[in-house]
Amino acid sequence: MSTAARPSIVRHQILATATMVAFLMYLDRICLAQIITSDSFQQHIKLEGWQIDWVKGAFFWAYALAQVPAGWLSDRFGARALICLYIATWSVFTALTSFSLGFTTLLLARLGCGLAEAGYYPASSGLLTRWAHIEGRGFASSLISWGGRVGGAVAPGLTAFVILRSGDWRWAGWLYGVIGIVVAVCYWRVFREHPRLHPRCNDAEIALLAEGRGEFLPVKDPPKRFPLLTACRSKNLWMANGVQFFTNIGWAFLILSLPDYLKKVMHLDDGMTGLITTGALTIGIAALPLGGMLTDQISRKHGKRLGRMLPMSVTKFAAAGCYVLALYTDTAWGMAIMFGLVAFFADIGLPAMWTLMQDISGKHQAQLFGWGNMWGNFGAAIQPVMFTAVLKAFDTNHDFHEGVWLCAVAFVLAGVFALFVNAEKPVTPVEA
């Protein structure tokens, strides 16, 4: 192939930038758990246990409720300007978190951050239908999710490092906020809505991305309303919603309650708590690219139904089993490995979920992705309250075991729901 005929590499630049944004998003999302358990924070701001639970859950309630509106905005008005706005806004609220004086201001800052972050993944799911080859959507989805998980893994250790070096918890939010504004500018410079609109995207790359999709033109008549009735009538979509809901109940322990466990039960200091939490989440990082390749490979050999269903279901049962095994591990690093395997098995099925939503959503891509993500984040939002209630009712020896069992059961239920999803049954007619 001649040089002139080779596809340009704009699609790779788009994917790399989208992955970088996901990294920042999870860094800003997960840093709070480390901040509020730090000695610096607790010396300056005194919160009751129920207030901590509400602050932890506030982000996810706002994030969940804004999913569908944010997805509609992205489908209706395009992703470029809106994603840049989302990044800048959540970065401002991350910085405002560090200006908090007590429960109310901290709660409002986290609500704002959740509202702003809500639109990114729905919009990113939509951009993958335009900027990823149809046979590589699983791997492309896994890379963006991988960026988020790397950010989540880095967040505890990096946040603990920033707090220890600066001597003040507030520097973490201020630093992340400034970085976010820079990332928003980078995204604006790199991204365009469609390959045909990008000045550096040549005809060969446009043709490559159009393979298997027909003419592949920009959408001229974007959807004007959310298909609520269709979404509510789709059993297939409700099964996918159930997978996300119960998965997030199980997974949220790793980002919301694990630091608390390490301090209260294992009696570790801030530095070691951040290190072990980061270690556990780091083990899960490799799962996402593997999960992307796995769903693509199974789909090519056995069809999309098994290609999406098997990675989503089997891995949830494995994650539940690792939670149970963690109860019989009595060393800090041993638990880090077991909880890391929980993250690994939880995340290896995530690309299959993303591509499932791309398979079944048609022109309502961002909106229906947001609908499913909304139910998933309802699970994350109620997890702190459920976890505390279970510990208060049943954890007489304060070892957190009953809370871990709650998370294991949630993963089992996610696996059961996943058995009934079908990527070959679209919620709406499949359109470019």
Side-chain angles (χ1 to χ4, degrees), residues 32 36 47-62 65 103-104 106-111 256 380-386 388:
L32 181 73
I36 63 178
L47 297 178
E48 300 292 334
W50 67 270
Q51 291 176 319
I52 293 175
D53 289 339
W54 277 103
V55 167
K56 286 181 178 179
F59 171 92
F60 292 101
W61 283 113
L65 292 170
F103 171 67
T104 301
L106 191 61
L107 185 71
L108 291 174
R110 294 307 291 175
L111 286 170
L256 298 179
I382 67 173
Q383 193 272 351
V385 177
M386 290 179 63
T388 298

Side-chain angles (χ1 to χ4, degrees), residues 238-294:
W238 279 116
M239 293 298 104
N241 295 343
V243 175
Q244 296 197 64
F245 178 80
F246 288 110
T247 294
N248 275 12
I249 290 178
W251 179 79
F253 170 85
L254 300 175
I255 62 169
L256 298 179
S257 301
L258 183 55
D260 207 29
Y261 167 81
L262 293 173
K263 292 202 75 171
K264 291 183 177 179
V265 179
M266 304 298 291
H267 306 294
L268 302 178
D269 59 24
D270 288 344
M272 186 57 69
T273 295
L275 187 61
I276 291 178
T277 304
T278 290
L281 294 174
T282 298
I283 294 175
I285 290 174
L288 286 163
L290 290 175
M293 291 185 286
L294 181 65

Side-chain angles (χ1 to χ4, degrees), residues 192-209:
R192 297 294 187 277
E193 295 292 340
H194 191 279
R196 291 188 180 276
L197 302 177
H198 204 294
R200 298 195 305 276
C201 193
N202 66 13
D203 290 341
E205 185 170 25
I206 292 172
L208 176 68
L209 293 172

Side-chain angles (χ1 to χ4, degrees), residues 11-257:
R11 65 194 183 282
H12 302 315
Q13 296 168 355
I14 296 286
L15 187 58
T17 306
T19 302
M20 177 179 66
V21 175
F23 173 92
L24 173 72
M25 184 172 71
Y26 265 73
L27 181 68
D28 291 351
R29 179 183 307 189
I30 293 178
C31 67
L32 181 73
Q34 193 64 38
I35 286 174
I36 63 178
T37 58
S38 69
D39 294 336
S40 173
F41 178 90
Q42 294 180 3
Q43 289 170 4
H44 290 90
I45 296 181
K46 304 297 182 183
L47 297 178
E48 300 292 334
W50 67 270
Q51 291 176 319
I52 293 175
D53 289 339
W54 277 103
V55 167
K56 286 181 178 179
F59 171 92
F60 292 101
W61 283 113
Y63 185 83
L65 292 170
Q67 287 286 307
V68 172
W72 178 83
L73 287 170
S74 297
D75 278 341
R76 187 76 179 94
F77 299 108
R80 187 187 183 201
L82 285 170
I83 287 180
C84 292
L85 178 63
Y86 297 151
I87 299 168
T89 303
W90 87 55
S91 298
V92 168
F93 276 105
T94 299
L96 289 176
T97 299
S98 289
F99 286 102
S100 299
L101 301 175
F103 171 67
T104 301
T105 50
L106 191 61
L107 185 71
L108 291 174
R110 294 307 291 175
L111 286 170
C113 193
L115 288 171
E117 286 196 11
Y120 182 62
Y121 272 166
S124 294
S125 176
L127 76 86
L128 285 178
T129 63
R130 302 186 292 276
W131 283 103
H133 192 276
I134 192 168
E135 292 186 356
R137 285 182 183 175
F139 183 69
S141 298
S142 74
L143 286 184
I144 296 180
S145 300
W146 177 81
R149 290 301 193 253
V150 173
V154 168
L158 179 61
T159 303
F161 175 79
V162 171
I163 293 172
L164 290 171
R165 287 299 299 264
S166 66
D168 190 342
W169 66 274
R170 298 183 188 276
W171 278 102
W174 293 337
L175 176 63
Y176 299 162
V178 171
I179 292 173
I181 300 299
V182 175
V183 171
V185 174
C186 292
Y187 195 91
W188 177 264
R189 292 177 63 86
V190 172
F191 184 68
R192 297 294 187 277
E193 295 292 340
H194 191 279
R196 291 188 180 276
L197 302 177
H198 204 294
R200 298 195 305 276
C201 193
N202 66 13
D203 290 341
E205 185 170 25
I206 292 172
L208 176 68
L209 293 172
E211 288 179 1
R213 296 177 49 98
E215 176 55 19
F216 189 51
L217 295 172
V219 177
K220 295 180 179 179
D221 185 24
K224 295 180 174 60
R225 65 186 65 184
F226 176 71
L228 180 61
L229 186 59
T230 301
C232 290
R233 286 177 173 175
S234 173
K235 294 181 181 178
N236 196 27
L237 190 56
W238 279 116
M239 293 298 104
N241 295 343
V243 175
Q244 296 197 64
F245 178 80
F246 288 110
T247 294
N248 275 12
I249 290 178
W251 179 79
F253 170 85
L254 300 175
I255 62 169
L256 298 179
S257 301

